[in-house]
């Protein structure tokens, strides 16, 4: 199976702070890779390096065989100009924690803008595509709604549709449910599960351990800027080898159990 993502010895430094300390990761086409770990472990920074929103300090990342952010001339690497780097980014969809929808545009307009502006798609074709994508995320009836009129879960689903409008080869999700009220989390996760079932290659930073178990082909546990442990969902969640992985999972599972108990209590009352 062809590789969609390859990261080799990726480092990222902000001033004197070393955030990534040698990340090596490969994701095959059609696979779902989940990244878990405590806040500050480098998960989101690594995700932003994949689509060159952050420039790596050392190391390299390839997406679909293309070196991200650089080109090779002779035996030397040369940094891409911003326009060329943005062109690479068109093949990589990204969904952030806080939606980042344009507040002055309707749901449909948020989806159509990028294909029209960056790919030259006609307004008619882009409008048709936006309706298909709103159908895909279950929001066709909200095509003319503005972000302020949507719930958090609805806004995040529009953000997913907007990323899909560019027909990406790879989707990146940075804690897509962390800003949502608990009762809205499920609707967003269902959309992501549907994408996984359809064969979309995805790298997902998530704190939803049960979701990661259900959807991932592989889970990587990040700690202090490195991938400390990686394996199948069953290996990582049922038989972790590292003590720090076990401590993290124990804490997350305790929090999930407490949240489930609270939900059951609310339903009963």
């Amino acid at each position: 199976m062809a590789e969609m993502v390859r990261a080799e010895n990726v480092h990222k430094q902000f001033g004197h702070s070393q955030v990534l300390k040698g990340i090596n990761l490969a994701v095959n086409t059609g696979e779902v890779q989940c990244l878990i770990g405590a806040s500050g472990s480098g998960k989101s920074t690594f995700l932003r390096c994949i689509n060159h929103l952050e420039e790596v300090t050392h190391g390299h990342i390839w997406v679909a065989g293309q070196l991200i952010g650089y080109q090779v001339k002779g035996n030397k690497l040369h940094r891409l100009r911003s326009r060329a780097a943005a062109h690479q980014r068109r093949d990589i969809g990204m969904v952030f924690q806080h939606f980042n929808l344009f507040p002055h545009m309707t749901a449909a307009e948020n989806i159509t803008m990028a294909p029209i502006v960056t790919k030259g798609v006609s307004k008619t074709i882009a409008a048709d595509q936006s309706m298909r994508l709103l159908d895909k995320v279950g929001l066709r009836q909200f095509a003319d709604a503005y972000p302020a009129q949507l719930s958090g879960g609805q806004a995040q689903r529009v953000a997913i549709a907007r990323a899909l409008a560019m027909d990406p080869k790879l989707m990146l999700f940075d804690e897509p449910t962390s800003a949502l009220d608990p009762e809205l989390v499920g609707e967003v996760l269902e959309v992501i599960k549907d994408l996984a079932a359809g064969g979309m290659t995805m790298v997902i930073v998530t704190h939803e351990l049960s979701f990661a178990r259900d959807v991932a082909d592989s889970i990587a546990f990040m700690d202090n800027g490195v991938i400390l442990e990686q394996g199948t969902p069953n290996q990582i969640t049922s038989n972790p080898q590292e003590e720090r992985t076990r401590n993290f999972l124990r804490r997350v599972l305790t929090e999930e159990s407490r949240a489930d108990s609270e939900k059951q209590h609310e339903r009963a009352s």
Side-chain angles (χ1 to χ4, degrees), residues 15 18 28 73 84 100 102 109 120 136 161 179 203 211 221 225 238:
Q18 186 106 2
N28 289 330
K73 290 183 179 180
N100 290 0
F102 294 106
E109 289 168 344
K136 189 179 186 72
V203 181
F211 166 72
F221 171 67
S238 300

Side-chain angles (χ1 to χ4, degrees), residues 58-222:
H58 181 75
H60 302 100
I61 299 174
W62 290 263
V63 173
Q66 190 173 36
L67 183 61
I68 296 299
Y70 298 89
Q71 60 181 338
V72 179
K73 290 183 179 180
N75 294 321
K76 293 185 177 180
L77 288 175
H78 296 265
R79 187 178 292 110
L80 291 179
R81 294 180 181 272
S82 57
R83 180 174 294 183
H87 189 270
Q88 286 186 331
R89 206 175 289 126
R90 297 195 318 183
D91 290 330
I92 306 172
M94 186 160 183
V95 178
F96 301 88
Q97 297 179 29
H98 296 288
F99 328 139
N100 290 0
L101 299 177
F102 294 106
H104 62 289
M105 293 183 178
T106 65
E109 289 168 344
N110 265 281
I111 295 168
T112 60
M113 189 187 74
I116 291 171
V117 172
T118 65
K119 299 179 78 172
V121 175
S122 73
K123 290 183 178 180
T124 300
I125 292 175
D128 288 344
Q129 181 191 42
S130 73
M131 296 309 294
R132 289 197 300 273
L133 289 170
L134 285 168
D135 270 335
K136 189 179 186 72
V137 299
L139 292 174
R140 185 184 184 94
Q141 68 273 32
F142 292 97
D144 296 324
Y146 289 91
Q149 298 170 311
L150 301 172
S151 71
Q154 291 166 344
Q156 191 63 293
R157 284 187 280 162
V158 172
I160 294 172
R162 180 180 60 180
L164 293 173
M166 292 296 288
D167 194 24
K169 296 176 181 177
L170 169 69
M171 284 286 286
L172 308 176
F173 291 88
D174 186 11
E175 295 276 16
T177 62
S178 65
L180 302 179
D181 292 333
E183 64 270 17
L184 303 177
V185 168
E187 63 191 57
V188 173
L189 296 183
E190 283 303 316
V191 171
I192 299 174
K193 286 180 181 180
D194 287 343
L195 293 177
M200 175 63 73
T201 310
M202 294 185 280
V203 181
I204 305 171
V205 172
T206 182
H207 62 281
E208 300 282 349
L209 190 58
S210 58
F211 166 72
R213 279 194 299 249
D214 289 343
V215 76
D217 295 290
S218 175
I219 295 177
F221 171 67
M222 288 186 63

